[in-house]
Amino acid sequence: MTTSFPSTHYACPCSDLTSAPTPPSSKRASIQQTSLQLNEEQAFNPHSPRANYTLYPIDHLLFCDECDEIRCPRCWTEEILYWYCPHCLFEVPSSAVKGDGNRCSRSCYDCPSCTSPLAVTQVSQRDEALLRPSDATGGDETYVLQCHYCDWSTLEIKVQFNKPTKITEQLVKQRKSRTSASKEKESSAKAAISHDDAFANLTTFYKDQLNETGEPQNAYPGSPYSSPANLARIMNIYGGLSHNALKKTRDKPQPMREAKGHAEGQTSFSGIDSDTGVIQRLQSSGWDATTTSEQRLSAPVNNEARFTDDLWPSATRLRTRRAKRCKSCRHIIARQEPKVGSMRYKIRLLAMNYIPRLSIRPLNPTVPITNPAFHLRPDMPEQEKLQPHQTKQYILTIRNPLFETVKITLATPATTPGNIASRVTILCPSFTVGPAGEVWDEALSASTQSASSDGGRKAAMASLTGSSESSDRQPEAGKIWEKTRNSTSVIVEIIPGSLKPPPSIVPKSEEELADAELEEDEDVLEVPVYVLAEWETEVKPGESVQGRKEVGGMAGEKVRKEVGYWIALGVGRIAG
């Protein structure tokens, strides 16, 4: 629900909460009845619990020019175009993504402490002199991976490199040598073997046991004939033997013995001896020296790391560049350029460029209207609440982003849906909006108007602040309030309802009192408005007009298009 007013949210037609109103039986329209007839069941309810997943700001929506419909994140599907590394910006083929564990195979690594990118840095002579001779890797120059954000480096885990290239090979080589040294140390101390070695030994032991017991080995692993059930079914179909006959002819396998010793994969619990050193290290280093769950899960090499000194740099995870397709027609509605380093879009159908935009503001505001982002400041005045049963007039402005003249038809229920019924009347529900032009045309027209009359700047400031220059001007039914080249404003009269029930139906019991209590944000006055935009455009050569209402299908002829959608105008909060 919105927290700043006024606001405008657009409803996606993919939800069953939105339904188009029926066209009128007669073409006569009055103040109380718009040119589109609305029933209470057809009206969109902004206070519905499911409306939170249907209403979006216009900058969060896309548009499908094949279906002529608004598209929200639930209406499009994403497909992966390619994988790339965010550090080196190299594109990775899809065949190598799974083999590399979805990580960059080049010299791109992330800091295990803060996940920032690591840079290859040469160790200075002063720092190199402080290193112990046993830590030196040999060579004239020494390099390390260093984080420029938290100042972590591979010197903390005693890892150095001889050259600034092929960092992955040097890192893997040093990790293997350190792992083998730790295994030799554990074997000399008669400790338990590692998990990988125990699994390999246990696998070899079970294979030998199968050979000794005479259990037949599978000659076709990974094939459809690898399962005994599949073989029995095939033999029953083609061999004429039943499944029971196969069971009788099959000899009972001999029981397998258990593994004994480390050579066969058997390990015993030695947690008391191993945890003693960990407890002593924890007492000396403190809690800050231990790793977090995020650090342990950042990379497979850090799964068993308990202290920060055991963290190794992890390869950078790959990113994907994706395109968006409409679920209905599979048409691409957003796609970036194929170049990895480019942030430009080759195709991007924004809804704000294809449908009219609506905004609302008070006709005579008592508090100056500011940017909604500034309402979070404590020095800004609070927005005045709406008084029940007092008529308020608002200016509803419709802007046309298209290059054709658009006919707009507005429809709204006489009373807003929900527990609090407010009366809404649009004085001019049907009108036209002029076409939009180029940016330079708008700038030149604005400068010309301001230069020709001194009232142009005053009118612009009045439109920004919401103040009306002509206080003696009164809204009239059936007439527009203001019109520019690509925008039209009309007057909307709203009578807010009361939060308190009438005295005749005051709840007496506790259950009725609980039902009468207002839910969260139920005092917010949101007006649902159905917008129908119609215009005509020329058919371009090679343009598809499938699924659209058309007057002609040849190139150069006129094709009529229409777009209908619901919006929710956030007016304000009703006073209690």
Side-chain angles (χ1 to χ4, degrees):
M1 191 64 66
T2 58
T3 56
S4 59
F5 306 99
S7 63
T8 305
H9 286 78
Y10 296 74
C12 182
C14 67
S15 174
D16 55 359
L17 297 178
T18 60
S19 59
T22 56
S25 57
S26 61
K27 294 187 178 180
R28 294 190 306 172
S30 61
I31 305 176
Q32 302 295 335
Q33 181 182 359
T34 63
S35 59
L36 291 177
Q37 297 177 356
L38 281 178
N39 298 328
E40 294 183 359
E41 298 179 355
Q42 293 179 332
F44 174 74
N45 186 7
H47 293 281
S48 174
R50 298 173 57 188
N52 294 330
Y53 306 97
T54 306
L55 295 173
Y56 298 90
I58 192 172
D59 54 352
H60 292 185
L61 298 174
L62 298 177
F63 188 84
C64 179
D65 56 355
E66 291 290 335
C67 305
D68 284 341
E69 292 288 348
I70 300 173
R71 291 292 176 251
C72 69
R74 295 186 300 176
C75 300
W76 68 63
T77 58
E78 295 183 352
E79 60 179 17
I80 297 177
L81 300 177
Y82 54 85
W83 286 262
Y84 70 97
C85 176
H87 294 171
C88 60
L89 297 180
F90 269 79
E91 184 176 348
V92 180
S94 58
S95 58
V97 172
K98 188 176 182 180
D100 296 336
N102 197 26
R103 294 181 182 272
C104 182
S105 59
R106 300 168 59 87
S107 300
C108 300
Y109 286 88
D110 294 335
C111 176
S113 179
C114 65
T115 67
S116 298
L118 296 175
V120 180
T121 307
Q122 183 179 0
V123 180
S124 61
Q125 297 181 357
R126 178 182 177 183
D127 295 338
E128 192 171 0
L130 296 177
L131 297 175
R132 294 179 298 177
S134 59
D135 295 337
T137 58
D140 298 333
E141 297 179 351
T142 303
Y143 298 89
V144 295
L145 290 174
Q146 186 177 6
C147 177
H148 294 288
Y149 182 78
C150 65
D151 204 20
W152 183 92
S153 67
T154 54
L155 291 176
E156 298 184 11
I157 58 174
K158 301 178 182 179
V159 173
Q160 306 166 44
F161 308 101
N162 298 330
K163 50 186 177 179
T165 57
K166 298 183 179 180
I167 298 297
T168 301
E169 298 180 3
Q170 300 181 65
L171 197 61
V172 171
K173 184 178 179 181
Q174 295 189 38
R175 181 170 176 81
K176 286 184 177 180
S177 62
R178 187 170 298 186
T179 304
S180 60
S182 62
K183 288 181 180 179
E184 293 177 358
K185 184 178 180 181
E186 289 178 357
S187 61
S188 62
K190 297 182 179 181
I193 61 177
S194 63
H195 175 75
D196 297 337
D197 293 343
F199 180 79
N201 296 342
L202 192 61
T203 303
T204 305
F205 167 73
Y206 280 128
K207 288 182 179 180
D208 296 340
Q209 286 291 300
L210 291 175
N211 294 331
E212 293 176 2
T213 55
E215 188 74 16
Q217 297 294 325
N218 181 22
Y220 306 98
S223 67
Y225 309 104
S226 60
S227 174
N230 293 341
L231 288 175
R233 186 164 51 253
I234 294 173
M235 292 297 293
N236 187 22
I237 295 174
Y238 296 101
L241 296 176
S242 63
H243 185 65
N244 296 330
L246 289 175
K247 284 185 177 180
K248 292 180 181 179
T249 58
R250 186 181 301 171
D251 296 334
K252 185 177 180 180
Q254 297 295 328
M256 299 172 58
R257 65 178 180 87
E258 297 181 357
K260 298 179 180 179
H262 290 175
E264 296 179 353
Q266 188 267 344
T267 57
S268 58
F269 177 73
S270 59
I272 299 177
D273 297 335
S274 60
D275 289 345
T276 303
V278 176
I279 294 174
Q280 293 177 358
R281 189 176 177 184
L282 181 61
Q283 291 176 351
S284 60
S285 303
W287 183 260
D288 297 336
T290 58
T291 58
T292 61
S293 59
E294 291 81 4
Q295 292 174 345
R296 291 190 295 271
L297 298 176
S298 61
V301 296
N302 297 325
N303 288 339
E304 299 180 358
R306 296 186 177 182
F307 295 89
T308 55
D309 297 341
D310 302 332
L311 292 174
W312 284 70
S314 58
T316 303
R317 293 181 180 179
L318 299 179
R319 303 295 190 269
T320 57
R321 186 67 61 86
R322 306 188 180 191
K324 296 180 177 63
R325 288 182 179 271
C326 175
K327 284 186 179 180
S328 301
C329 63
R330 304 297 300 172
H331 180 63
I332 297 178
I333 56 179
R335 184 174 184 175
Q336 290 181 327
E337 291 184 352
K339 189 178 180 181
V340 178
S342 177
M343 298 301 294
R344 296 181 180 179
Y345 278 85
K346 188 176 181 180
I347 300 174
R348 194 183 187 188
L349 307 181
L350 297 176
M352 63 177 62
N353 298 332
Y354 288 87
I355 62 173
R357 292 169 290 177
L358 286 83
S359 61
I360 190 172
R361 68 178 190 271
L363 179 61
N364 298 313
T366 56
V367 178
I369 300 177
T370 57
N371 193 331
F374 298 146
H375 287 294
L376 301 177
R377 292 174 46 185
D379 55 342
M380 294 299 298
E382 294 185 359
Q383 297 176 347
E384 184 181 3
K385 291 188 177 182
L386 305 176
Q387 298 299 326
H389 308 299
Q390 292 186 6
T391 304
K392 294 276 293 185
Q393 294 180 341
Y394 294 86
I395 301 176
L396 181 63
T397 304
I398 298 90
R399 302 184 186 275
N400 180 20
L402 304 175
F403 293 94
E404 293 85 10
T405 302
V406 179
K407 179 184 177 182
I408 301 295
T409 305
L410 304 178
T412 183
T415 57
T416 58
N419 296 333
I420 303 174
S422 302
R423 299 189 60 85
V424 182
T425 304
I426 301 177
L427 299 187
C428 185
S430 182
F431 49 88
T432 59
V433 184
E438 299 293 341
V439 178
W440 291 109
D441 296 340
E442 297 180 2
L444 291 175
S445 62
S447 61
T448 305
Q449 292 177 0
S450 61
S452 59
S453 61
D454 296 337
R457 182 173 299 178
K458 295 181 180 180
M461 294 299 297
S463 63
L464 290 176
T465 57
S467 60
S468 178
E469 189 179 12
S470 55
S471 58
D472 55 346
R473 182 182 176 185
Q474 297 296 330
E476 299 181 12
K479 293 186 178 181
I480 61 175
W481 179 257
E482 187 180 2
K483 188 177 182 64
T484 61
R485 186 167 55 87
N486 68 325
S487 67
T488 302
S489 301
V490 296
I491 299 298
V492 179
E493 291 184 352
I494 301 177
I495 304 177
S498 177
L499 302 181
K500 299 179 180 180
S504 58
I505 55 174
V506 173
K508 299 180 181 179
S509 62
E510 295 182 358
E511 296 181 355
E512 294 179 354
L513 184 61
D515 296 338
E517 293 181 356
L518 296 177
E519 297 181 358
E520 183 181 4
D521 291 334
E522 197 172 1
D523 58 340
V524 175
L525 176 56
E526 288 187 323
V527 180
V529 179
Y530 183 79
V531 183
L532 179 62
E534 301 173 315
W535 71 95
E536 291 185 355
T537 181
E538 293 184 358
V539 179
K540 298 180 182 179
E543 183 181 4
S544 174
V545 293
Q546 183 178 5
R548 301 174 180 172
K549 296 182 179 181
E550 51 179 307
V551 179
M554 302 298 293
E557 295 186 3
K558 294 288 186 179
V559 175
R560 184 169 64 89
K561 301 181 181 180
E562 63 178 26
V563 176
Y565 52 92
W566 283 92
I567 65 170
L569 299 174
V571 179
R573 293 185 179 272
I574 302 176

